[in-house]
Amino acid sequence: MKTDIKVFFLWRHLNKLRWLIMSLVFFMLVFLPFVHVYQTYVASFSYDLLTQSEKQLFDIMEAVTSPFVTDPASQLDAIKGNTWSGNFFGYKISDPLAVAGQMAASISVYWPFFLSGLIPIILTIIFGRFFCGWICPANFLYELNTALSLWLQKMGIRAGKRHFDRRLKYLVLALGLGVSAMTGSVLVSMIYPPAIVGREIYFSIALGGFGAGLVFFVLTLLFDLLVSRRGFCRYVCPGGALYSLLGHFRLFRIKRIVENCNDCAKCNAVCEFGLDPLRDDFGQECNNCAACIAICPTDALTFNLSIKDKENQGPGHLGKKYQQQNSQLPEDKNATT
Amino acid sequence: MKRRHFLKELIAGAVATTALKSSVVEAAFVQQTSIRYLRPPGSLAEKDFESRCIRCGQCGEVCPNRCIDYFNLENGAASLNTPYIIPREKGCILCMKCGQVCPTGAIKPLERTAEDIIGHVRMGKARVEKSLCLSYQGKTCGVCYRACPLQDVAIKVQLLEQPVVLDACVGCGLCERSCIQMPQAIRIIPNHNG
């Protein structure tokens, strides 16, 4: 039943790499606040004043960081921040939505900040909405949330399956930027989960408590669980909307090889963003997460360099529908191969 | 004539609705100025600061003194998650790291030099409450003077260590933090105009 068309074998394993990267980013978001707390202990020479648990934290952080730095109080400043905006060895990298929101709020362009958002913008133009699937710390929690909903379904609790219009998030983006411009305050960062997650993790570890953003984030988790699977990312997220718009003509796309496809529709079931790989409908919403490639049993999905998706190529050639339509072909094929 | 009249009405209506809208917005996002807080050193004026700050939280994350905290909704929705310093809890040690890490220039990037700090940092200005101050009550104290990072530039002492705040005071809050009187006899009057 296999055809000659081979798929580069590593694409199947990209999904694992993606989970590794997402976990690493999330780990860093938890690790950096602890680094900061450790730095403040060092800067204040307060080891003898610390409580037992704080001393443990100090010792662990000292053991982890001492191979790399000699002066923790200043040298550990090299990596700071979160996915919303961060410093890496003196280079500042910011989320495109942060740039857009700041420009809207002050109705002017602050060029150093715009330049800090340039690398993500260029990467998004090439790779599309990759941030959502590969880096976003909120996506990490949302995908775990999806797994939780599957467990709940096994126990008999029905998860939400409602669908809304995907274009809703462009409205949210426009509204968010509009309200930011009207109030002169970057309020779009209050409804953007990765920014909230980065902030709230820092607040909870270094400042001793979650802030108001946690309420919003928990509400989105419940919305995903009870109303609509991955509903926030699909229908509401303003950052996802901006990334989708930037990645409209992205160069890296997933393509279906119609000769290998057997119409099993596992790709549609696994797609976090509710797209339709089975009918070649990826569009600007696809985040190249490669989950569909990983689950495809017949290697019918691969990466492709193109700025447009293929038109619907019809039913897969290994599927029943195609073979009934071209009933003489399967025998020929079996005879030849 | 009729059309001109109509246009006039249209413009008047548009102006009225925008005015109404902005007043509603102002009411919803008004600041509760009863909180006496400072912005980090080198911050822009309050309006500019809110439109520049993207709430990334990096200023707090580099602060070695942990004096920078973040607002929830207590100061109005417009300053949600923006950084602030309460000088009585913890003063700013003027290390200037927050300005260097700030990606948007909401906190100006300044060097840790006397010229930069005296020239550009305007967090507020200390004010001595003579009826509370020990030195003015005849008991020699001088703690605020000893705590000041800009001694004899921002604050000087007279006979009996009586403190006098000078114009160069940047409002870091270390004097208020260290005042041994309760309630404190020296307070920072915040300057939110940059």
Side-chain angles (χ1 to χ4, degrees):
Chain A
M1 287 290 277
K2 287 253 172 182
T3 54
D4 295 337
I5 300 167
K6 285 277 188 292
V7 170
F8 182 51
F9 73 102
L10 273 184
W11 293 156
R12 296 189 67 80
H13 303 288
L14 269 186
N15 202 32
K16 293 165 200 161
L17 180 69
R18 183 175 75 94
W19 274 98
L20 184 72
I21 291 174
M22 267 203 302
S23 317
L24 267 179
V25 168
F26 197 82
F27 170 76
M28 285 305 279
L29 283 187
V30 178
F31 183 69
L32 288 177
F34 280 118
V35 168
H36 167 234
V37 172
Y38 167 63
Q39 282 180 290
T40 62
Y41 292 160
V42 173
S44 58
F45 297 93
S46 61
Y47 185 79
D48 294 333
L49 303 175
L50 299 179
T51 64
Q52 197 58 44
S53 59
E54 286 168 337
K55 272 183 185 167
Q56 279 172 357
L57 171 66
F58 190 102
D59 293 339
I60 292 169
M61 295 308 295
E62 193 175 29
V64 170
T65 57
S66 58
F68 307 104
V69 294
T70 50
D71 177 18
S74 65
Q75 285 179 328
L76 284 179
D77 286 344
I79 301 177
K80 285 284 171 195
N82 46 43
T83 58
W84 182 236
S85 182
N87 272 266
F88 296 93
F89 302 98
Y91 293 99
K92 289 172 182 166
I93 300 177
S94 303
D95 196 304
L97 185 64
V99 177
Q102 196 271 322
M103 275 161 60
S106 65
I107 319 189
S108 63
V109 184
Y110 181 66
W111 287 105
F113 184 50
F114 183 82
L115 290 178
S116 76
L118 204 58
I119 293 171
I121 288 174
I122 290 169
L123 286 178
T124 304
I125 287 171
I126 297 173
F127 293 104
R129 199 182 168 178
F130 79 103
F131 173 86
C132 299
W134 288 74
I135 295 168
C136 178
N139 178 68
F140 181 71
L141 297 176
Y142 285 138
E143 290 205 20
L144 294 179
N145 195 35
T146 308
L148 175 70
S149 82
L150 293 179
W151 274 98
L152 288 180
Q153 266 176 331
K154 274 184 192 166
M155 294 186 335
I157 300 167
R158 288 172 66 88
K161 284 263 163 66
R162 292 192 59 174
H163 290 274
F164 302 93
D165 196 327
R166 270 190 223 143
R167 286 169 296 179
L168 184 64
K169 61 175 172 292
Y170 302 105
L171 188 68
V172 173
L173 173 67
L175 267 178
L177 294 181
V179 170
S180 294
M182 260 169 72
T183 58
S185 170
V186 190
L187 289 176
V188 75
S189 73
M190 308 305 156
I191 52 168
Y192 185 47
I196 293 173
V197 168
R199 263 199 311 268
E200 295 301 324
I201 291 176
Y202 167 67
F203 289 170
S204 65
I205 291 171
L207 300 180
F210 288 109
L214 184 76
V215 179
F216 180 82
F217 185 68
V218 169
L219 283 178
T220 64
L221 281 178
L222 288 176
F223 176 73
D224 281 12
L225 204 58
L226 302 176
V227 181
S228 166
R229 182 188 161 200
R230 290 310 298 278
F232 194 86
C233 300
R234 289 182 192 177
Y235 310 119
V236 188
C237 183
L242 184 63
Y243 280 118
S244 296
L245 289 177
L246 285 174
H248 186 74
F249 294 110
R250 69 183 186 281
L251 207 59
F252 266 75
R253 282 168 191 273
I254 296 177
K255 184 188 79 170
R256 183 173 69 124
I257 304 168
V258 71
E259 288 86 354
N260 281 2
C261 177
N262 66 353
D263 289 344
C264 69
K266 280 181 180 169
C267 42
N268 282 14
V270 83
C271 182
E272 289 283 327
F273 284 2
L275 304 177
D276 198 357
L278 186 62
R279 291 173 194 83
D280 299 289
D281 181 20
F282 297 97
Q284 60 190 19
E285 314 269 328
C286 173
N287 63 352
N288 287 347
C289 75
C292 51
I293 301 182
I295 205 162
C296 182
T298 54
D299 281 344
L301 289 159
T302 184
F303 277 103
N304 187 25
L305 286 179
S306 160
I307 60 165
K308 271 181 95 175
D309 283 329
K310 287 221 163 176
E311 293 291 310
N312 190 350
Q313 302 176 86
H317 289 190
L318 299 182
K320 271 201 184 112
K321 201 171 168 194
Y322 180 84
Q323 296 188 352
Q324 276 165 6
Q325 278 172 4
N326 311 275
S327 49
Q328 81 282 9
L329 267 176
E331 281 83 22
D332 290 357
K333 237 181 180 178
N334 284 343
T336 51
T337 52
Chain B
M1 196 63 191
K2 226 177 180 182
R3 182 194 279 172
R4 185 177 289 173
H5 193 71
F6 173 72
L7 274 177
K8 254 185 189 173
E9 272 189 354
L10 196 72
I11 291 167
V15 168
T17 46
T18 47
L20 186 72
K21 259 185 203 163
S22 61
S23 69
V24 168
V25 166
E26 287 285 309
F29 292 93
V30 74
Q31 302 241 317
Q32 312 297 313
T33 42
S34 62
I35 305 171
R36 191 166 55 84
Y37 65 91
L38 312 174
R39 290 296 188 192
S43 292
L44 302 176
E46 192 66 15
K47 274 277 162 211
D48 295 336
F49 186 83
E50 276 169 6
S51 67
R52 278 284 183 84
C53 174
I54 56 162
R55 284 87 162 152
C56 63
Q58 288 185 84
C59 45
E61 216 169 314
V62 289
C63 181
N65 192 34
R66 279 169 100 177
C67 55
I68 297 179
D69 202 344
Y70 292 88
F71 279 124
N72 274 325
L73 287 162
E74 65 265 35
N75 196 38
S79 58
L80 180 60
N81 288 336
T82 50
Y84 72 96
I85 296 169
I86 300 289
R88 184 57 163 165
E89 289 172 7
K90 223 155 204 196
C92 168
I93 57 172
L94 297 174
C95 69
M96 299 293 137
K97 279 184 180 175
C98 48
Q100 279 151 21
V101 85
C102 181
T104 60
I107 309 170
K108 282 178 271 184
L110 301 173
E111 290 299 317
R112 198 188 191 194
T113 56
E115 304 88 71
D116 260 19
I117 290 173
I118 295 169
H120 297 286
V121 178
R122 285 277 170 275
M123 302 162 82
K125 198 162 182 290
R127 193 175 68 189
V128 180
E129 193 66 47
K130 288 181 183 169
S131 56
L132 288 168
C133 179
L134 283 176
S135 294
Y136 282 101
Q137 302 302 320
K139 304 181 182 75
T140 312
C141 169
V143 166
C144 47
Y145 173 74
R146 304 265 131 57
C148 183
L150 298 166
Q151 279 174 5
D152 296 322
V153 178
I155 191 170
K156 67 174 183 182
V157 281
Q158 302 168 336
L159 196 65
L160 289 176
E161 308 268 8
Q162 290 172 348
V164 174
V165 179
L166 305 175
D167 279 341
C169 173
V170 299
C172 68
L174 288 175
C175 51
E176 178 174 350
R177 161 89 172 134
S178 62
C179 181
I180 59 171
Q181 275 288 65
M182 188 75 80
Q184 66 272 36
I186 188 163
R187 290 166 201 204
I188 308 297
I189 306 304
N191 169 27
H192 292 182
N193 301 319

